[in-house]
Amino acid sequence: MFFRVTLRKYKHKIHLQWSVFYALLTMCLALTTVEFFQMKNGYWAGMTLLFCLRNNYKDTFSRVQARVLGTLMGSILAATLIDYWHTPLFLVCGFILSGYIAFTFSYSLISKSYFVFTFFVTLMVVFMLSSLGISQTGVATHRLEATALGGAFALFAILMTRLFTRRQIVRNSSSG
């Protein structure tokens, strides 16, 4: 009985230690991958990893899924709109409107629909960078690639944390 109570007490601490370790390891791997493949705007991979990584697998998986899909849909819509209406006024208005929606409703969107929040942030970023003269297709593609890479590393980190946390707990319970 004492062992079970003690194990429950330290289970979270063991999980947290492995979570931090694997988050740091996968951040190094993600940024190394970005540098190795010379991905443009590769910092989005690290940001995605940090934004998506949660304390458990289900939360991390749903966050990665919402971020990748929101980025994909936002990239497609922004690139399509810009392709048809490529005027400075449209780019600035698109940037202001999508930025206003993303940041005004950021708290409620993040907690209720991370997909919608990511969608509007992606629209804002693509409109902003396109207004600076950068190709909208390039911006959208680079953002999507880096987001998918960061999401994959977030899933890897949480899976490794889960694996080694369980292994550590099983090892501690069999030795006690």
Side-chain angles (χ1 to χ4, degrees):
M1 181 67 171
F2 170 77
F3 181 71
R4 276 188 241 153
V5 170
T6 305
L7 185 60
R8 271 189 231 126
K9 185 177 178 181
Y10 290 104
K11 183 178 178 180
H12 180 71
K13 185 176 180 182
I14 291 169
H15 179 77
L16 185 61
Q17 289 172 345
W18 283 109
S19 292
V20 171
F21 174 76
Y22 281 110
L24 291 172
L25 177 66
T26 54
M27 180 60 77
C28 290
L29 289 172
L31 296 178
T32 300
T33 303
V34 162
E35 287 299 316
F36 180 78
F37 289 108
Q38 298 178 353
M39 294 175 70
K40 294 195 186 269
N41 302 318
Y43 62 90
W44 281 321
M47 288 174 41
T48 296
L49 187 144
L50 290 176
F51 292 152
C52 291
L53 197 56
R54 295 288 175 252
N55 200 28
N56 67 49
Y57 178 77
K58 286 180 186 178
D59 290 344
T60 300
F61 183 77
S62 67
R63 191 85 167 200
V64 167
Q65 184 180 21
R67 185 161 178 98
V68 171
L69 289 175
T71 300
L72 175 65
M73 300 310 290
S75 296
I76 290 170
L77 180 62
T80 302
L81 290 173
I82 292 169
D83 195 41
Y84 286 109
W85 296 292
H86 191 79
T87 65
L89 180 62
F90 180 74
L91 295 175
V92 170
C93 287
F95 167 68
I96 291 171
L97 181 63
S98 57
Y100 177 79
I101 291 169
F103 291 108
T104 301
F105 300 107
S106 63
Y107 181 75
S108 61
L109 285 175
I110 288 173
S111 62
K112 292 181 181 145
S113 178
Y114 192 64
F115 166 81
V116 174
F117 175 73
T118 303
F119 174 80
F120 282 109
V121 168
T122 300
L123 284 175
M124 180 194 67
V125 168
V126 174
F127 280 127
M128 179 188 67
L129 293 177
S130 293
S131 70
L132 298 174
I134 301 169
S135 161
Q136 76 273 10
T137 307
V139 171
T141 303
H142 298 161
R143 183 166 172 83
L144 185 59
E145 288 171 346
T147 298
L149 179 70
F153 276 109
L155 292 175
F156 175 73
I158 198 68
L159 285 172
M160 295 306 290
T161 300
R162 193 177 203 190
L163 175 72
F164 280 92
T165 299
R166 282 190 177 155
R167 190 177 284 176
Q168 184 75 31
I169 289 170
V170 168
R171 193 176 305 146
N172 287 344
S173 64
S174 65
S175 64

